[in-house]
Amino acid sequence: MKKLVLAVALTVGSSLCAMAANEVTKAPPAAPYEQVSKLVKLPDFLPGMGQLFVDPTTLPAGPFLAYDHDGELVSTIYMLPIKDLNPDKRFDDLASPGGNVDHVDVYYNAGHPGVEEPHVHVVLWHVSAADEAQVAK
């Protein structure tokens, strides 16, 4: 009986994770995510990143969901303030709402509308490096 309960719990748990990933794989994602270009003065599509959506309550870090021109999720992006990258601050359990991560990029950004202070972009790519071109233009 215990094995059956455990098996059911594992199945339900993995199904919920899969359902959560499915809810964000196509743009626009469900609430609480909002289109970034409607929150701050940014274009609807940012070359190299895509069309961004974020839950405003999670700013500045995010996660930001990035979609290609066809509305397919390509990455999850965190924008971590440089001032918070110190021994007194931790960023634990950063979620990947889009599911599997193919590879990760990390790079500096001096600031932009919505996240004005210098920060680091941590990009969790859900597509291969070759498929990053989907958001290049």
Side-chain angles (χ1 to χ4, degrees):
M1 182 66 172
K2 287 182 183 178
K3 287 182 182 180
L4 178 60
V5 170
L6 181 59
V8 169
L10 288 173
T11 302
V12 169
S14 61
S15 296
L16 289 175
C17 290
M19 285 172 34
N22 287 336
E23 291 176 10
V24 299
T25 57
K26 294 289 255 174
Y33 289 98
E34 295 183 37
Q35 190 171 334
V36 170
S37 63
K38 292 188 169 138
L39 300 173
V40 297
K41 189 172 174 75
L42 282 173
D44 286 342
F45 192 92
L46 297 164
M49 296 177 84
Q51 183 182 29
L52 299 178
F53 291 81
V54 69
D55 174 351
T57 65
T58 66
L59 293 173
F64 293 79
L65 302 178
Y67 296 85
D68 67 13
H69 289 288
D70 295 325
E72 298 289 333
L73 182 69
V74 293
S75 70
T76 299
I77 304 169
Y78 284 92
M79 300 184 189
L80 308 179
I82 296 291
K83 69 177 177 58
D84 289 339
L85 297 177
N86 63 63
D88 299 323
K89 179 81 174 187
R90 295 177 57 105
F91 293 93
D92 293 329
D93 299 322
L94 298 178
S96 175
N100 293 338
V101 174
D102 181 86
H103 62 286
V104 178
D105 291 340
V106 179
Y107 55 90
Y108 174 82
N109 187 288
H112 50 73
V115 185
E116 285 80 10
E117 61 192 87
H119 57 280
V120 173
H121 284 194
V122 178
V123 184
L124 311 175
W125 288 99
H126 304 297
V127 297
S128 70
D131 288 339
E132 285 181 36
Q134 296 171 188
V135 294
K137 298 179 184 183

